[in-house]
Amino acid sequence: MDAKPIITRRMTYHNKISLLITAVIGIIIAGLSLVSCKKDNVPYNTAHLAEFHILTEGVENTDLPNDQLALFVDFSNCIAKGMSSPFYQKMVSPLTAATKEYWSIKGKDIQKEDGKVFELLNNVKEEDYAALDNAINQMAERNGESVMLTDGELFTQTATKNNPNNPYMHDAFKKWLLKGHDIHIIAEPYQEVYKGQTFNKKRFYIIFTDDRIEGNIYSRISEVVNLEDFPQIDEFHLSGNYPWAVTQNGVTSVPNAVLAAELKGYGPMEIQDWQVDWKNILNFIMNGVDEQGNPLPNGEKLIGGLKINKNAFGCYRIKDIDVKVYDINNDYYDIYNRLEAGEKIGQTEIQPIEIPNFIIADAKEFKQHGNIDLYFDINNFAPVLSGKPFNYFKIEISIKELENILGNSIDMFNFDSIVQSGTTNESISESLKNCVFDPELLKQLNGKTLYSIYVKSDKY
């Protein structure tokens, strides 16, 4: 009689246990479902960020050979009489050592010559109607450095004679600069007697190179020839590449110590892995104070240690820079997974979303010293960072405005016309002016990236 109530009580107890287990399982399943709705949407590491940069931004080609120098020599009196010039003798030394191809410009004929360079230079004789326009175009087409020795005077058998105002070098200069390379023009004054009259001429050393290449011909010349020892010599530089930021420590920028950032440098690009959460970043950097405890206008400096040579383009000065920040969470996640899967990826175009009201540069510091100091935009700070459990964003520093500093300096390349007495030959200076104002060259320089910083931070 008493057994049934006992059995009933036991069944009731087991039923409660079952219901409890069922409830717990339900909670777990619900929790798992909730987690699956909010799954991580970014990679856990920066392993492929360097590859990401190359695939999405491209890398400027600086692989110009520095051991294939071609020397183009104008067979004119300015070269024939060059050995009497101490400066010419100095210049010939590094050129002779580096030249792999010697090209003579004899009238309309441009020929490759065999023999020792020094001996060939010592046997130059005047030949009329030098095809300097064809020779400079040939230099621009080469995939290697070249130097032209010339008086710059294009003299033809046409009605225009020596074309005193013809910018005949412009197209070649432009072609070389659009490849992202450098041109240095050195002008040495000398006098030449022609039909009993003395003319003030120039001996030009026109150098097609790339200043970023170690051991380039211009750097070799600079090691041997100190232009300061020759005050009569003028020099001009045009560049089609970008004056990348110079890092204070030679590797990366200098982030605020609060970030405890792990750093990797790759020339004009770096990766920062911030090791602290946003709460500490906001508290100690954005809310930074001076030694007296007063709030700093922009908080503590976020990133420093970067400097730009504002005059690196020669005829332009970088007047102002721009700083933009881009959300790369989705793009990096996609490329990361494809690389992890072993997929071969070619150049990829992405459209990253700009993150406004985030990071700014100290405009006054850049204007005065060329330093790039970055701060949080604390007066407008409202970034949208949606990564989980991390955020990946790119800080891009670029040219905002260029100013022309050409002035009258270009006139140093003018010289007396030997054919039209009393006339000034402006062909080389006009060629350079045309480059300075060329829309394509300006477009290449304006808005170009000076430095990129990829950041991995905690979720926001």
Side-chain angles (χ1 to χ4, degrees):
M1 292 293 296
D2 295 331
K4 287 183 179 181
I6 293 173
I7 294 174
T8 302
R9 285 195 297 269
R10 286 178 181 175
M11 288 178 64
T12 302
Y13 174 78
H14 286 299
N15 286 341
K16 288 181 179 179
I17 294 295
S18 298
L19 289 172
L20 180 60
I21 293 173
T22 302
V24 170
I25 292 173
I27 292 170
I28 293 173
I29 292 173
L32 289 173
S33 299
L34 186 62
V35 170
S36 66
C37 292
K38 297 182 178 181
K39 64 181 181 179
D40 297 345
N41 58 5
V42 294
Y44 288 174
N45 58 58
T46 64
H48 295 301
L49 263 181
E51 292 170 274
F52 175 85
H53 174 73
I54 293 172
L55 292 171
T56 59
E57 294 295 327
V59 176
E60 225 184 326
N61 180 24
T62 58
D63 295 331
L64 192 70
N66 64 352
D67 59 351
Q68 297 180 18
L69 178 69
L71 182 63
F72 289 76
V73 181
D74 176 9
F75 271 52
S76 64
N77 283 328
C78 85
I79 305 303
K81 298 178 179 179
M83 283 301 177
S84 62
S85 160
F87 180 76
Y88 179 86
Q89 292 176 26
K90 279 274 190 179
M91 287 289 294
V92 164
S93 175
L95 291 176
T96 299
T99 296
K100 301 298 182 183
E101 297 178 8
Y102 181 99
W103 293 83
S104 61
I105 309 170
K106 299 177 181 179
K108 66 179 181 179
D109 297 323
I110 304 172
Q111 300 175 342
K112 187 177 179 181
E113 308 276 359
D114 294 324
K116 294 183 178 179
V117 176
F118 190 77
E119 293 179 1
L120 291 169
L121 287 171
N122 271 320
N123 286 282
V124 172
K125 296 179 180 179
E126 173 83 9
E127 293 206 24
D128 293 335
Y129 311 119
L132 301 179
D133 49 352
N134 294 334
I136 200 75
N137 286 331
Q138 188 172 325
M139 289 169 61
E141 293 287 349
R142 297 185 77 254
N143 183 34
E145 297 178 294
S146 57
V147 175
M148 179 187 285
L149 307 181
T150 180
D151 63 3
E153 196 159 23
L154 179 64
F155 183 69
T156 63
Q157 301 181 60
T158 64
T160 55
K161 296 296 183 181
N162 72 333
N163 303 282
N165 299 304
N166 180 7
Y168 68 92
M169 291 191 176
H170 168 234
D171 287 343
F173 287 168
K174 176 180 176 178
K175 184 174 292 185
W176 188 254
L177 293 170
L178 284 175
K179 292 179 181 180
H181 302 317
D182 295 86
I183 297 173
H184 294 269
I185 300 180
I186 298 172
E188 176 193 3
Y190 76 100
Q191 291 187 325
E192 183 173 330
V193 178
Y194 180 73
K195 293 183 178 181
Q197 187 175 352
T198 301
F199 295 86
N200 294 312
K201 299 284 295 298
K202 296 287 175 72
R203 184 182 292 113
F204 293 102
Y205 308 81
I206 302 174
I207 303 166
F208 280 27
T209 185
D210 193 304
D211 288 354
R212 296 165 295 180
I213 300 171
E214 186 175 352
N216 66 76
I217 186 58
Y218 182 76
S219 67
R220 295 189 195 185
I221 290 171
S222 300
E223 290 174 0
V224 176
V225 185
N226 183 2
L227 294 182
E228 293 183 1
D229 295 338
F230 302 92
Q232 79 279 17
I233 303 300
D234 291 311
E235 181 187 15
F236 193 76
H237 173 220
L238 277 172
S239 179
N241 61 49
Y242 318 134
W244 293 336
V246 176
T247 54
Q248 178 179 304
N249 57 24
V251 183
T252 66
S253 65
V254 180
N256 191 299
V258 170
L259 300 170
E262 294 180 356
L263 305 171
K264 294 178 182 178
Y266 301 88
M269 182 274 285
E270 68 179 65
I271 297 171
Q272 297 188 6
D273 189 345
W274 296 355
Q275 300 295 302
V276 297
D277 59 27
W278 277 98
K279 181 179 180 180
N280 284 304
I281 291 173
L282 300 180
N283 284 342
F284 294 104
I285 298 180
M286 284 191 66
N287 298 326
V289 296
D290 60 21
E291 294 179 355
Q292 286 73 41
N294 300 312
L296 293 166
N298 294 300
E300 286 193 5
K301 186 190 304 183
L302 176 66
I303 298 172
L306 294 172
K307 189 179 182 69
I308 292 289
N309 177 3
K310 296 190 289 182
N311 298 316
F313 289 134
C315 53
Y316 302 108
R317 178 183 290 118
I318 301 174
K319 189 175 181 180
D320 197 7
I321 58 171
D322 195 14
V323 177
K324 292 184 177 180
V325 186
Y326 296 96
D327 180 341
I328 60 168
N329 283 323
N330 293 335
D331 294 312
Y332 180 49
Y333 189 50
D334 174 58
I335 289 179
Y336 182 98
N337 289 332
R338 291 166 64 187
L339 289 171
E340 285 289 302
E343 182 180 341
K344 291 184 179 180
I345 306 175
Q347 201 66 33
T348 303
E349 185 175 348
I350 61 173
Q351 299 293 331
I353 300 170
E354 184 178 351
I355 307 174
N357 306 321
F358 195 4
I359 294 172
I360 59 174
D362 185 334
K364 183 178 179 181
E365 181 64 22
F366 179 77
K367 183 177 181 179
Q368 292 181 345
H369 306 110
N371 294 325
I372 300 175
D373 290 343
L374 303 182
Y375 293 81
F376 285 120
D377 185 4
I378 64 174
N379 295 315
N380 305 291
F381 193 76
V384 177
L385 300 170
S386 57
K388 180 180 179 293
F390 305 107
N391 277 286
Y392 292 87
F393 54 88
K394 174 187 176 184
I395 305 171
E396 189 174 271
I397 303 161
S398 61
I399 298 172
K400 184 176 183 179
E401 184 179 359
L402 290 171
E403 60 180 335
N404 182 348
I405 57 172
L406 190 63
N408 296 322
S409 61
I410 207 75
D411 293 342
M412 63 188 175
F413 296 114
N414 296 338
F415 54 92
D416 292 344
S417 170
I418 206 168
V419 176
Q420 300 176 23
S421 181
T423 302
T424 299
N425 189 304
E426 301 177 349
S427 56
I428 291 184
S429 62
E430 286 299 312
S431 296
L432 292 170
K433 283 180 184 177
N434 282 9
C435 284
V436 171
F437 296 106
D438 190 284
E440 284 187 75
L441 287 170
L442 281 170
K443 183 179 179 181
Q444 175 158 302
L445 300 179
N446 267 313
K448 286 300 180 179
T449 302
L450 300 170
Y451 201 77
S452 299
I453 301 173
Y454 288 85
V455 176
K456 173 194 171 192
S457 73
D458 202 353
K459 63 181 179 180
Y460 183 66

